[in-house]
């Protein structure tokens, strides 16, 4: 009888291990968005870029201090253009409440970007990713893509939607330290 | 340099032609060896069998000569387009036959294996025969290693079909027409369709037949194609640009790719020609073709044939796996960055592998011997042929040869 | 669930069909039919315990019939997936929700609606593969161990009804030339065991383990395929890199730095039309046939403390000629040449001329990826770039914009400042566009175009490869071991003045019979009769 029980335990364990492994694989392949290298829940990889005004900005500058609204965009992209005014509006409201917006332009000519900035009266820092190294590091596919990074440096949201004002405000509240 | 290559290329074609003739004679000799029905004249059977076998070997060596000279002429292993691959496959089938005949000495095997190998080689010869350069992805030692091993595996597996087919003709009762007799006849009919295709192609080419059509594709774009067989079926709402024979009917509107109506026309020609050939033979024999062959196979022990069929799978399966999957994966990892990519040709190689794996399990664990096993071998051959022909001509993917 | 004690004294597990030791049939005792020697008549474990639901699941997967069904289902599903191309093989710009219907009509639409455009990545196809894996594990455990047990326990002396119910059997009274027989068997690599004057000659028992070895290989292979989806096991990233560019290779950050790549040059070679080997084929082909795609690259590495985006301090690792079929391997990464975009616009050179005299004042070059704002020609002469669109389009019928970030159709708004026009003159320049806004004294004209090729590379890391390779190797060994060798046994039993001789092979009876024929010719042992 003992032997029989042992067999049952063995069988159960083996089947369980297989079920777990298969479940995990299925979860990863079919149900989880694995596009890009950086996923929700990860620590946001640090980087250093130069703004349009020539200042160097490190992501780690904000760690422990501010939540970062990290937006990847381009001047040619209409959805980006739509969300920019909302970002600007809310930036004014939230910049003193522990929120920083970093808008990373994915490899455009600085002339085009500064013209765009002037036209839309943007005041948040625009980072120039000339080589697109950071864009690739974050595995950004379509733009706009927005990542929410809380004050601990953890990514808590990633979206490629064109955002409404309400949505942006909701996001800002979420990363407020 | 130029002359030498020209001579090599010419020599190569000539050798293939000679090999073809020798195979043809070997087939006839093997057929003769069966024509004796009485056991007591075993010496007669043995003698003709030996001559047939010798001819097969000489033919094989001649074809090997074709292969080597073409290799010299082109500078790469001649397995890079459909003509080269299909003829090489035929050669590997002959080689597999030579090996298995060496073990089992069954003349019947020669009577069926040789003509089918001939048919395959002739079929391959209908594709463009120019020596073509290799695109960068094909420039790898793995091209020759992968393709030759895969073809060898398929060649050996084909012998299991040959033996299975002999088994079926030998065993299935021909007194009454049944589902089984009909199936056997349809296999014969399909083989005759291939022969029909070859005859019509060669015939049309001999008369330099050509007619051009122009029509509109799905997106309204103008399409044009040249038929090289008399047009039975023209493109949907197509316009014939010359006054040659044709077309009796238009293709349905959904067959509108650039080459689709032409392929349909060829396909219909093959079926018709196969039908005519089959009808003629039936008329002469006045019975089912299998029923006419069967008496000549009565000396064969069915278990013996069944064993040859199984043995071919047992030998061919590992070779096929090695060539069509393992070597293929090693190459794919280097050429396409991944060892497996669900390309149609890859998938069909996997299907072939799974099919023969199922065959082995049916046989070893569920005791499917004899007839069931023979039918499986027939299906296996259909899958191999599908992968060889249809996947390249119809489905196409990374393996589409020019 | 009792164990079965055979009359020879051996205790067999429940469900055993033939006594493991003496071979006496324990079921259908009175039959004279040939014994089913599959798994040596050992008890297939699953068929013995059916109590718990775990056992039921186990038993389901333990059936070879179920295993075959799984194989057939995978086969059919795989075939369905090739009816139309999978999504990964349709043009990347095409929208699959309309593509299939447009290209393949109603059937294409159904194909897409059923989700077959990504069949091999679908949850149910993965589940089928998983089911195959489970089946392989359980079938092997349930059959492998009893078989091993049965072959280990087999005795030399076999029960008479085991002997006479073998396929190859004979009973003789004539004496046997035992010494010669032994030599003859040994020559054929049989191991001969004796027990009370009875013999067991056996060879190639290892061939029986073939199926279990190849199943182990397959299981490893499937585990390897599954591990790809675990963190840090697998990387597959595209990298488009223009000639002259130096970029961080995505995903290649290691503990001691980040890898960078410089594309020095992209080369595409084609076959020359007068190539004597391929003259005929080249004449017929309308397009050039490529013979080589190659990126000449230099691999660099940063120091340990490296910050993405910042200007890195690079150390050269090596130069490499990256070609199709010849990837660059470094660390655990491989870099492949997979694609290219030829001749992309890179820079325009312009000349500034005074209209009246046609005198050239100076020349300047505009980098189209990221142009400078001001170009100083000579004292007093400056060109400033007021605005720039990489791939120009007109929005809402009035405003200018760019379609994307590729400089395919660039447009620049320029201001010319000269000593005699301190306020500046304005001009618009683009491809086949050269407007002046107002009556200008100066004229800018295109004097040169610089093109660059862009190499399409793929970065790969696959830590599962060793497992895949080992799995594949074990599989091949197992298949060859199981199919190219045959487990053969010959039993001799002395029963009074009679000899009972039986023989068995797990396959290839023809070969076995021929071997016995040979032995018979050498030793005078009678030829065994095939009782099937």
């Amino acid at each position: 009888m003992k032997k029989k029980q042992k067999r049952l335990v063995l069988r159960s364990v083996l089947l369980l291990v297989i079920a777990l492994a298969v479940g995990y694989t299925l979860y990863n392949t079919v149900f989880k968005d694995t596009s890009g290298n950086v996923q929700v829940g990860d620590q946001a990889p640090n980087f250093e870029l130069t703004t349009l005004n020539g200042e160097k900005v490190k992501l780690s500058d904000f760690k422990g201090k501010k939540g970062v609204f990290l937006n990847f965009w381009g001047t040619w992209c209409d959805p980006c253009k739509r969300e920019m005014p909302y970002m600007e509006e809310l930036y004014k409201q939230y910049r003193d409440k522990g929120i920083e917006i970093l808008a990373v332009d994915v490899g455009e000519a600085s002339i085009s970007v500064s013209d765009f900035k002037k036209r839309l009266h943007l005041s948040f820092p625009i980072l120039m990713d000339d080589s697109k190294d950071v864009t690739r590091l974050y595995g950004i596919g379509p733009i706009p893509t927005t990542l929410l990074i809380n004050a601990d440096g953890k990514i808590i949201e990633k979206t490629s939607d064109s955002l409404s004002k309400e949505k942006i405000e909701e996001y800002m509240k979420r990363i407020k330290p | 340099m130029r002359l030498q290559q020209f001579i090599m290329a010419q020599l190569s074609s000539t050798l293939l032609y000679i090999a073809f003739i020798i195979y043809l004679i070997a087939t006839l000799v093997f057929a003769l060896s069966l024509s004796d029905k009485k056991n007591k004249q075993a010496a007669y059977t043995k003698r003709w069998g030996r001559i047939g076998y010798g001819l097969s070997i000489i033919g094989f060596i001649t074809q090997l000569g074709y292969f080597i000279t073409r290799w010299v002429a082109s500078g790469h292993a001649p397995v890079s387009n459909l003509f080269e691959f299909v003829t090489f496959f035929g050669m590997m089938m002959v080689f597999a036959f030579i090996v298995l005949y060496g073990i089992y000495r069954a003349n019947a095997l020669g009577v069926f294996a040789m003509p089918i190998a001939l048919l395959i080689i002739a079929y391959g010869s209908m594709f463009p025969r120019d020596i073509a350069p290799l695109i960068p992805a094909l420039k790898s030692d793995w091209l020759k290693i992968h393709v030759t091993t895969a073809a060898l595996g398929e060649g050996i597996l084909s012998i299991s079909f040959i033996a299975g087919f002999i088994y079926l003709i030998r065993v299935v009762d021909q007194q009454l027409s049944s589902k089984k007799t009909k199936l056997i006849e349809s296999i014969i009919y399909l083989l005759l369709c291939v022969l029909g295709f070859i005859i019509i192609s060669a015939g049309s080419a001999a008369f330099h037949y050509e007619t051009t059509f122009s029509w509109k594709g799905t997106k309204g774009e103008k399409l044009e194609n040249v038929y090289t067989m008399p047009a039975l079926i023209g493109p949907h709402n197509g316009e014939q640009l010359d006054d040659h024979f044709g077309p009796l009917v238009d293709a349905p509107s959904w067959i509108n790719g650039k080459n689709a109506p032409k392929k349909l026309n060829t396909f219909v020609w093959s079926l018709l020609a196969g039908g005519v050939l089959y009808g003629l033979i039936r008329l002469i024999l006045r019975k089912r073709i299998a029923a006419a062959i069967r008496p000549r196979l009565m000396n064969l022990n069915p278990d013996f044939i069944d064993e040859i069929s199984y043995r071919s799978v047992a030998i061919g399966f590992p070779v096929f796996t090695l060539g069509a999957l393992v070597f293929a994966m090693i190459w794919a990892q280097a050429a396409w960055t991944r060892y497996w990519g669900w390309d149609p040709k890859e998938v069909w190689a996997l299907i072939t592998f799974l099919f023969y794996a199922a065959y082995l399990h049916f046989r070893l664990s569920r005791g499917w011997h004899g007839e069931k096993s023979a039918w499986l071998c027939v299906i296996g051959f259909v899958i191999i042929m599908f992968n060889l022909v249809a996947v390249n001509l119809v489905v196409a993917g990374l393996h589409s040869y020019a | 669930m009792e164990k079965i004690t055979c009359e020879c004294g051996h205790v067999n597990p429940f469900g055993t069909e033939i006594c493991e030791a003496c071979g006496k049939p324990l079921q259908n005792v009175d039959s004279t039919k040939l014994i089913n020697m599959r798994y040596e008549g050992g008890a297939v474990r699953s068929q013995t315990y059916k109590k718990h639901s775990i056992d039921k699941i186990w038993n389901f997967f333990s059936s070879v019939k179920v295993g075959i069904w799984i194989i057939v289902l995978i086969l059919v599903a795989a075939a369905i997936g090739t009816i139309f191309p999978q999504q990964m093989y349709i043009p990347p710009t095409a929208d699959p929700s309309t593509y299939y219907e447009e290209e393949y009509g109603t059937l294409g639409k159904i194909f897409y609606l059923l989700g077959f455009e990504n069949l091999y990545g679908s949850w149910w196809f993965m589940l089928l593969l998983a089911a195959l894996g489970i089946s392989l594990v359980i079938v092997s455990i349930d059959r492998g161990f009893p078989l091993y047990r049965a072959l280990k326990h087999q005795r030399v002396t076999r029960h008479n009804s085991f002997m006479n119910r073998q396929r190859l059997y004979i009973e003789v009274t004539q004496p046997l030339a035992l010494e010669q027989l032994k030599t003859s068997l040994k020559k054929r690599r049989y191991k001969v065991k004796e027990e009370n004057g009875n013999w067991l000659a056996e060879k190639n028992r290892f061939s029986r383990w073939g199926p279990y070895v190849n199943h182990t290989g397959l299981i490893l292979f499937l585990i390897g395929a599954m591990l790809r989806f675990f963190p840090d096991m697998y990387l597959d990233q595209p990298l488009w890199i223009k000639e002259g560019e130096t970029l961080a290779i995505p995903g290649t950050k290691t503990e001691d730095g980040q890898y960078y790549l410089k594309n020095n040059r992209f080369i595409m070679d084609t076959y020359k039309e007068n190539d004597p080997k391929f003259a005929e084929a080249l004449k017929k082909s309308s397009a050039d046939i490529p013979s080589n795609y190659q990126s000449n690259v230099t691999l660099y590495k940063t120091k340990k403390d490296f910050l993405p985006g910042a200007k890195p301090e690079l150390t050269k690792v090596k130069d490499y000629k990256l070609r199709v079929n010849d990837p660059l391997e470094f660390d655990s990464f491989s870099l492949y040449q997979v694609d290219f975009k030829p001749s992309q616009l890179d820079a325009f050179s312009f000349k500034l001329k005074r209209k009246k005299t046609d005198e050239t004042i100076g020349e300047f070059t505009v980098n189209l990826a990221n142009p400078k704002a001001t170009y100083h020609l000579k004292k007093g002469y400056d060109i400033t770039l007021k605005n720039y669109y990489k791939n120009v389009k007109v929005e809402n019928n009035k405003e200018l914009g760019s379609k994307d970030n590729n400089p395919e159709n660039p447009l620049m708004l320029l201001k010319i400042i000269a000593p005699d026009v301190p306020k500046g003159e304005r001009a618009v320049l683009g491809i086949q566009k050269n407007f002046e806004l107002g009556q200008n004294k100066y004229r800018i004209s295109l004097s040169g175009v610089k093109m660059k090729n862009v190499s399409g590379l793929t970065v790969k890391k696959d830590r599962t490869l060793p497992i895949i390779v080992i799995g594949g190797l074990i599989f091949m060994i197992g298949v060859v071991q199981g199919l190219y060798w045959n487990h053969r046994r010959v039993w001799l039993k002395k029963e009074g003045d009679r000899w009972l001789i039986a023989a068995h092979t797990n396959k290839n009876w023809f070969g076995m019979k021929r071997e016995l024929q040979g032995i018979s010719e050498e030793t005078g042992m009678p030829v065994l009769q095939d009782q099937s």
Side-chain angles (χ1 to χ4, degrees), chain A residues 110-144:
Chain A
S110 34
I111 290 171
S112 317
V113 178
S114 48
D115 173 64
F116 184 89
K117 184 183 169 176
K118 240 178 273 162
R119 268 194 288 147
L120 274 81
H121 310 288
L122 304 177
S123 60
F124 48 78
I126 292 173
L127 309 184
M128 302 302 290
D129 188 15
D130 288 338
S131 62
K132 289 196 238 171
D133 280 349
V134 174
T135 309
R136 270 188 292 268
L137 174 73
Y138 274 76
I140 302 301
I143 52 170

Side-chain angles (χ1 to χ4, degrees), chain C residues 249-264:
Chain C
I249 309 173
T252 60
K253 190 182 174 185
T254 61
E255 277 171 20
D256 48 346
Q258 159 77 38
Y259 284 99
Y260 271 74
L261 192 78
K262 181 171 184 206
N263 185 4
N264 302 307

Side-chain angles (χ1 to χ4, degrees), chain A:
Chain A
M1 276 301 114
K2 247 191 180 164
K3 204 176 159 194
K4 235 185 86 186
Q5 278 211 321
K6 207 173 117 197
R7 187 196 307 267
L8 184 64
V9 170
L10 247 150
R11 287 180 170 186
S12 312
V13 169
L14 195 68
L15 284 174
L16 190 72
V17 168
I18 297 176
L20 283 177
V22 170
Y24 181 81
T25 311
L26 270 183
Y27 168 73
N28 266 339
T29 48
V30 184
F31 303 109
K32 198 173 150 191
D33 170 35
T34 47
S35 59
N37 311 335
V38 175
Q39 267 125 39
V40 173
D42 294 353
Q43 278 291 317
N46 193 15
F47 58 82
E48 180 185 280
L49 286 174
T50 312
T51 67
L52 206 50
N53 310 330
E55 298 150 24
K56 282 189 175 157
V57 175
K58 277 189 208 157
L59 182 64
S60 58
D61 295 344
F62 307 101
K63 199 169 175 185
K65 293 171 200 151
K66 283 182 166 184
V68 175
F69 186 96
L70 183 63
N71 179 266
F72 289 85
W73 70 286
T75 60
W76 75 88
C77 131
D78 290 326
C80 306
K81 220 178 278 179
R82 276 200 294 278
E83 62 185 17
M84 282 284 177
Y86 305 137
M87 280 160 62
E88 176 60 28
E89 209 180 320
L90 292 162
Y91 180 62
K92 285 178 185 143
Q93 263 181 56
Y94 282 88
R95 61 185 304 178
D96 300 326
K97 295 178 187 159
I99 301 287
E100 187 57 66
I101 290 182
L102 298 179
V104 179
D105 178 83
V106 293
E108 283 187 282
S110 34
I111 290 171
S112 317
V113 178
S114 48
D115 173 64
F116 184 89
K117 184 183 169 176
K118 240 178 273 162
R119 268 194 288 147
L120 274 81
H121 310 288
L122 304 177
S123 60
F124 48 78
I126 292 173
L127 309 184
M128 302 302 290
D129 188 15
D130 288 338
S131 62
K132 289 196 238 171
D133 280 349
V134 174
T135 309
R136 270 188 292 268
L137 174 73
Y138 274 76
I140 302 301
I143 52 170
T145 293
T146 302
L147 292 106
L148 300 185
I149 302 167
N150 66 18
D152 299 332
K154 201 171 127 184
I155 299 167
I156 58 167
E157 184 68 72
K158 179 180 171 185
T159 175
S160 292
D161 296 339
S162 178
L163 303 172
S164 64
K165 192 179 164 190
E166 294 72 35
K167 198 78 197 170
I168 297 175
E169 182 150 25
E170 182 202 316
Y171 279 167
M172 299 222 157
K173 284 179 181 153
R174 278 177 66 188
I175 47 173
K176 218 168 79 176

